Amino acid sequence: MRLRPVFGLFAALALSTSALADDDEVRQPTSRELIENAPANAWRSLDPENTLYLDLPAGTVIIELRADFAPNHVQRIKELTREKFYDGVVFHRVIEGFMAQGGDPTGTGTGSSDKPNLKAEFTRDAAEVEGLTVIGRDRIAPRIGYVDGMPVAAQPEALRTFIKGSRVDLWPVHCPGVMSMARATDPNSANSQFFLMIGDSRLNLDKRYTGWGWIVDGFEASRRIARGEPPSRPTPIIRARIEADIPESERENIQVLKTSEPVFIEYLKTRGQLSDDGLVKDICEIRVPIKKDGKIEL
């Protein structure tokens, strides 16, 4: 009979320890809390000279241009934008789960600008692109990561000493929100037509088409582009603008979480998108957090 209080004490201690453990588990920050508590220096602003605004009927799509991947294609997009070439041009081919294609002034899929065609910029040497952050690997590529907010894949760096020319390829991955250039059969035939990704087409498009940017904000507006080949009522680009040409009072106040920051890795792990051993669940399901007017969007 005298042993019962001791057992009772052990039971009480066990319950107390369990409760503390439960409390500790509850106090683990959520993915949103991680981002909300990220320090100010974990965020970056967009470069106005390399930010494209596409005003659509459903809203504005804001795109970060990546000249580090495709300098000639980005230059072409900026030239045509400043010439107002894209204003009023429709998305003439839009396939659900795949992509939305526009940039043809005739709206037929056969037109282009009067500028010369561009040479392919499908891949870059990883050594030539600054800011690569490898977050892990996946079922398709040995290295998966980001250059700022642009999702990328790359060959193993260890191959550099074995490959002729010592080039290790890095390329944008064709996930939803990535911008890429349309072309004909000739790899060097891109001109003015482009497409924005709606679905995951990495296996079909990576290293075969030139990725030149990614949608930072306004992806929902892009989702409302009318579908069809061609659509019965094609969605127009009301106007296209480079942010540097827009009065500061009319610019969107957007900051992007730096994908090179440790908090980004913790964010991915908390969401189950990255395992402790570096396996990326699905790069195309990851959205880089942004702040718009100070409000966090995940």
Side-chain angles (χ1 to χ4, degrees):
M1 294 295 294
R2 294 179 181 178
L3 293 177
R4 288 179 182 175
V6 177
F7 288 138
L9 177 61
F10 286 158
L13 288 173
L15 287 171
S16 176
T17 303
S18 176
L20 288 173
D22 289 343
D23 287 345
D24 288 341
E25 185 176 346
V26 170
R27 284 196 294 270
Q28 292 298 317
T30 64
S31 57
R32 174 168 286 277
E33 288 171 341
L34 282 170
I35 301 306
E36 288 175 343
N37 294 324
N41 61 7
W43 300 89
R44 66 181 179 89
S45 298
L46 299 174
D47 174 13
E49 183 59 32
N50 287 295
T51 303
L52 173 67
Y53 285 42
L54 290 183
D55 295 329
L56 306 183
T60 299
V61 179
I62 298 177
I63 299 158
E64 183 171 45
L65 305 174
R66 300 303 317 194
D68 43 2
F69 292 119
N72 296 325
H73 286 70
V74 166
Q75 184 62 29
R76 173 63 54 84
I77 294 291
K78 290 165 69 172
E79 287 175 355
L80 293 176
T81 295
R82 285 177 162 141
E83 293 171 8
K84 301 188 183 304
F85 175 88
Y86 291 121
D87 293 5
V89 171
V90 301
F91 287 91
H92 62 270
R93 180 171 177 252
V94 185
I95 303 173
E96 180 59 47
F98 182 30
M99 59 87 214
Q101 184 173 337
D104 172 10
T106 72
T108 64
T110 62
S112 65
S113 76
D114 59 3
K115 300 180 186 298
N117 289 344
L118 296 162
K119 291 185 177 180
E121 294 177 301
F122 299 157
T123 66
R124 302 285 287 178
D125 187 336
E128 297 176 355
V129 179
E130 296 183 3
L132 169 63
T133 299
V134 176
I135 63 172
R137 67 192 188 285
D138 71 0
R139 58 187 174 82
I140 298 175
R143 289 200 291 170
I144 289 291
Y146 289 85
V147 176
D148 291 332
M150 184 81 160
V152 299
Q155 294 176 311
E157 185 61 31
L159 287 179
R160 191 173 296 279
T161 57
F162 300 99
I163 295 177
K164 184 178 180 180
S166 298
R167 177 188 169 105
V168 171
D169 282 343
L170 171 82
W171 59 91
V173 296
H174 284 78
C175 289
V178 168
M179 307 295 299
S180 195
M181 212 68 170
R183 62 172 177 83
T185 304
D186 181 356
N188 302 312
S189 59
N191 187 287
S192 65
Q193 292 191 40
F194 63 86
F195 56 92
L196 62 87
M197 295 304 303
I198 296 172
D200 175 355
S201 292
R202 292 177 59 191
L203 293 176
N204 296 323
L205 303 182
D206 284 7
K207 296 186 283 186
R208 296 178 58 210
Y209 290 82
T210 298
W212 52 265
W214 68 287
I215 295 176
V216 177
D217 186 57
F219 186 68
E220 288 306 312
S222 73
R223 287 285 302 167
R224 297 179 66 180
I225 296 171
R227 271 50 173 168
E229 300 182 72
S232 58
R233 296 182 63 183
T235 300
I237 297 172
I238 298 172
R239 62 178 173 174
R241 300 172 292 167
I242 302 300
E243 188 180 58
D245 303 333
I246 301 173
E248 288 192 19
S249 61
E250 298 177 19
R251 299 177 188 178
E252 296 287 354
N253 178 19
I254 292 178
Q255 288 185 302
V256 182
L257 185 72
K258 296 177 182 177
T259 49
S260 58
E261 289 291 313
V263 67
F264 180 62
I265 299 297
E266 292 304 312
Y267 166 76
L268 296 181
K269 289 182 176 180
T270 301
R271 293 173 67 92
Q273 294 170 320
L274 177 65
S275 68
D276 290 334
D277 63 356
L279 182 63
V280 180
K281 182 178 180 181
D282 188 343
I283 186 71
C284 288
E285 290 185 353
I286 295 173
R287 180 178 178 184
V288 177
I290 68 168
K291 281 183 182 178
K292 188 173 182 180
D293 294 326
K295 182 179 179 181
I296 290 173
E297 297 183 6
L298 302 180

